[in-house]
Amino acid sequence: MRSDLIKKTAARAPQRSLLYALGLTEEEMKRPFIAVVSSASDYIPGHKHLKEISEAVKAGIRNAGGVPFEFNTIGVCDGIAMNHKGMKYSLCSRELIADSIEVMLTAHPLDAVVFVPNCDKIVPGMLMAACRMNLPSIFVSGGPMLPGNYNGKRLGLSEVFEAVGSYAAGKIDEDELTEIEKCACPGCGSCSGMYTANSMNCLTEAAGMALPGNGSIPAVFSKRIQLAKTAGEQIMKLYKNNVKPSDILTSKAFENALRTEMALGCSTNTVLHLTAVAYEMGVPLDIDLIDKISRETPQICKLNPASHVFITDLNEVGGIPAVMKELSRDNLINLDIPTVYGTVKERIAKAKDADGEIIRKLENAFRKDGGIAVLKGNIAPEGSVVKQGAVAPEMMQHIGPARCFDCEEDASNAILNGKIKAGDVVVIRYEGPKGGPGMREMLAPTSSLAGMGLDKSVALITDGRFSGATRGAAIGHVSPEAAAGGVIGLIRDGDEINVDITRRKLTLMVDDAEIAKRKADWKAPKKELTGYIKRYAQYVTSGSKGAVFEK
């Protein structure tokens, strides 16, 4: 056992003394030590109940003969951090989470790990740590929030952001805005749509690192507690058989995750995070492979914010196993590969058949290609991404004049003050990994456009990124970013931009000679940075590479 480093031989008497101080018995000292890594906190709805989930995990570990030890990581709520300086610290928290887990599991060598995340950067941060440590591991999330209800209509957090735009446009009054904000988030869990948190929890399941149901069983259901107990029991089997992340997270597993991502129409952030996790695992995965898989994989689900179907509805019709089962009908899923519980083939054998509505049949897919598209062109030679499954048909091809802003706040103010008109292309730059720093999510400007009724006539491009709650022609991750000398930093007000999602092109309609002239005159703006964000800006790489740190 790895934990023998702290509990075997006479030389380890001091370590054993400290362990006995925790209340351990001599019998427990002989058993495997299992880490339970949780992101529980009191002020994030997706994490507030994770202590209960962790207790269930620990009960499962004890049931199967192990000794659990819980510790916590930080966790940023993107919804609370949105549209102010705090969002600069969201993506960069991913690296801190991975690093802190490495520190704890190296300083305190345990034998296996159960990870208990629920939101945004926490899931990929823990996945990166699992890859790095390569100990027997399993994930069990806190589960999704139930949708809210306002006047008989179900809604989630994205509708609240859109209501801000509706209020600014005079479509609703302050009393109605207040009622909507009080109804949208009815309790604990990760926000109810196919936003980044639920996307990553679903894809962790699809990649084989979590049990069936991890991505879709609601946070408040007893089945979520049962799932947590089962995960605690299952980690002991993984430990006994020495099954590690490197055995599960192979190139075929990442392909399964990407196929499922495209079928579901997940958050564009999953491109950023799966790339980073694959990088940590040493598995080749780049933007071109993602584009290839997108072109080949039909979108068979359309969930909120792209529709009024929620993740809890997906759970009722079979969840991720049912989605993968439908994809397997066209040989789009690798079946004979291991997961934390059986092979993929074994997992989907008893799954429900696609219901034809929430999970469409392949023959009647929403799209013939995936819910996420990779766009390239002179603005984004290294690539950019868009959640095309949430774009109105009339915005799949759009040419319009650029309205340029060097930060999110300026763009948001212009939108809310009525300065953006139908036909415009809003350009928000210097918000990339280095330029922000931190590559902020920009749900506020996109939602304001939607709430004001402009999502079907205005496109938005940025070297930052978008929340999974975003809908509309919102193209993010433009690479190279402005701060690295990318063309997005050379665009001027009034320049024509061609957004052609159908042909996967993003083009500045300015000749090469003029672009070269602007490039020669360009200077990167200087920002006064301190603390962690300064170090982050020094080491982070391009969004097209997952915004990972240079090794």
Side-chain angles (χ1 to χ4, degrees):
M1 288 187 285
R2 187 170 178 267
S3 59
D4 286 348
L5 285 169
I6 56 173
K7 61 185 183 182
K8 284 287 184 73
T9 77
R12 293 295 181 256
Q15 284 88 343
R16 288 194 297 274
S17 180
L18 291 168
L19 292 170
Y20 284 129
L22 298 174
L24 266 65
T25 66
E26 289 188 40
E27 177 59 33
E28 286 177 314
M29 203 75 79
K30 300 174 186 176
R31 297 177 182 176
F33 284 4
I34 310 299
V36 179
V37 184
S38 167
S39 56
S41 72
D42 284 344
Y43 69 115
I44 301 177
H47 299 185
K48 184 170 176 57
H49 65 304
L50 291 190
K51 185 65 178 177
E52 184 180 6
I53 300 294
S54 293
E55 288 301 321
V57 168
K58 290 190 281 188
I61 291 169
R62 294 189 186 102
N63 287 347
V67 182
F69 294 87
E70 182 179 355
F71 68 88
N72 291 77
T73 72
I74 61 170
V76 172
C77 173
D78 282 18
I80 295 173
M82 198 74 68
N83 199 223
H84 59 85
K85 181 181 178 181
M87 180 49 75
K88 293 178 182 288
Y89 287 80
S90 174
L91 179 60
C92 67
S93 71
R94 187 186 70 183
E95 319 314 303
L96 283 176
I97 290 165
D99 289 350
S100 65
I101 295 170
E102 176 190 357
V103 167
M104 287 295 289
L105 292 181
T106 304
H108 306 102
L110 304 187
D111 301 303
V113 193
V114 181
F115 291 95
V116 186
N118 212 29
C119 295
D120 294 272
K121 264 43 73 200
I122 296 92
V123 183
M126 288 187 178
L127 280 167
M128 291 165 70
C131 294
R132 193 180 301 175
M133 298 307 298
N134 204 30
L135 297 169
S137 300
I138 193 169
F139 280 67
V140 56
S141 76
M145 183 187 294
L146 296 176
N149 189 299
Y150 176 67
N151 287 342
K153 178 183 177 181
R154 294 190 305 168
L155 74 169
L157 183 65
S158 61
E159 282 79 8
V160 185
F161 275 92
E162 291 181 13
V164 173
S166 296
Y167 172 73
K171 295 183 177 182
I172 62 174
D173 61 20
E174 188 172 358
D175 289 341
E176 186 170 0
L177 177 62
T178 299
E179 287 302 311
I180 290 171
E181 71 185 54
K182 289 181 177 179
C183 294
C185 300
C188 67
S190 50
C191 295
S192 55
M194 187 51 81
Y195 312 156
T196 305
N198 288 328
S199 293
M200 285 306 303
N201 286 327
C202 287
L203 298 188
T204 301
E205 179 182 337
M209 287 298 294
L211 296 169
N214 179 71
S216 61
I217 296 173
V220 296
F221 281 18
S222 61
K223 285 185 177 181
R224 177 60 57 177
I225 299 298
Q226 294 164 359
L227 187 76
K229 285 183 182 178
T230 304
E233 293 168 350
Q234 187 62 20
I235 192 62
M236 298 305 297
K237 296 178 182 178
L238 295 170
Y239 163 72
K240 181 180 179 180
N241 295 318
N242 197 30
V243 179
K244 300 176 180 178
S246 57
D247 299 313
I248 296 170
L249 290 176
T250 62
S251 59
K252 290 184 177 181
F254 280 102
E255 182 179 337
N256 282 353
L258 286 166
R259 297 280 186 196
T260 306
E261 171 188 50
M262 299 305 168
L264 290 170
C266 288
S267 164
T268 52
N269 283 319
T270 56
V271 171
L272 200 68
H273 297 320
L274 287 177
T275 304
V277 175
Y279 178 74
E280 199 70 57
M281 194 75 263
V283 173
L285 197 167
D286 59 23
I287 202 80
D288 292 328
L289 177 59
I290 293 170
D291 182 52
K292 177 178 181 294
I293 289 174
S294 171
R295 292 174 185 269
E296 297 172 349
T297 311
Q299 182 180 356
I300 56 175
C301 298
K302 185 170 280 196
L303 304 171
N304 178 270
S307 77
H308 295 296
V309 176
F310 287 82
I311 190 78
T312 48
D313 301 318
L314 179 66
N315 184 67
E316 292 298 319
V317 296
I320 300 307
V323 173
M324 296 179 74
K325 183 177 182 180
E326 181 61 20
L327 291 176
S328 71
R329 290 181 52 232
D330 199 23
N331 298 315
L332 293 172
I333 293 293
N334 297 299
L335 299 176
D336 296 319
I337 59 173
T339 74
V340 292
Y341 185 79
T343 64
V344 173
K345 184 176 183 178
E346 291 167 340
R347 288 173 73 143
I348 69 173
K350 297 181 180 180
K352 293 181 179 180
D353 292 332
D355 69 310
E357 294 183 14
I358 293 172
I359 305 173
R360 286 194 176 184
K361 297 288 187 179
L362 292 171
E363 295 81 2
N364 188 37
F366 288 101
R367 305 184 54 86
K368 293 182 179 180
D369 55 356
I372 293 174
V374 174
L375 277 56
K376 289 190 174 183
N378 63 352
I379 297 178
E382 293 178 8
S384 61
V385 294
V386 61
K387 189 172 182 175
Q388 66 174 346
V391 177
E394 53 264 53
M395 289 301 293
M396 292 298 288
Q397 294 174 300
H398 177 79
I399 297 175
R403 295 295 310 279
C404 300
F405 303 93
D406 289 349
C407 68
E408 179 192 358
E409 288 85 351
D410 290 349
S412 290
N413 288 336
I415 292 167
L416 292 174
N417 289 315
K419 295 181 180 180
I420 301 301
K421 307 300 181 185
D424 286 346
V425 178
V426 177
V427 178
I428 308 178
R429 66 261 186 116
Y430 298 106
E431 289 285 7
K434 286 184 177 293
M439 204 177 186
R440 285 194 285 185
E441 282 189 352
M442 299 185 197
L443 180 56
T446 57
S447 297
S448 294
L449 288 171
M452 298 173 82
L454 292 172
D455 58 305
K456 296 181 180 180
S457 60
V458 173
L460 194 155
I461 68 172
T462 181
D463 51 9
R465 58 197 180 90
F466 295 111
S467 166
T470 293
R471 63 186 176 97
I475 298 96
H477 307 197
V478 171
S479 301
E481 62 176 290
V487 171
I488 189 172
L490 308 178
I491 301 172
R492 295 178 180 173
D493 280 347
D495 286 346
E496 291 285 300
I497 294 177
N498 186 352
V499 178
D500 192 340
I501 299 172
T502 301
R503 294 180 175 82
R504 304 194 176 209
K505 295 289 185 181
L506 186 60
T507 309
L508 174 63
M509 298 172 71
V510 172
D511 63 59
D512 292 344
E514 175 61 21
I515 293 175
K517 181 181 176 182
R518 294 181 189 181
K519 175 71 173 177
D521 296 335
W522 174 84
K523 289 183 180 180
K526 291 185 179 181
K527 294 187 177 183
E528 295 298 324
L529 304 173
T530 60
Y532 174 60
I533 203 76
K534 180 178 181 178
R535 298 197 303 275
Y536 180 84
Q538 289 173 338
Y539 294 108
V540 71
T541 59
S542 168
S544 65
K545 297 180 179 178
V548 296
F549 279 1
E550 295 176 354
K551 286 189 177 180

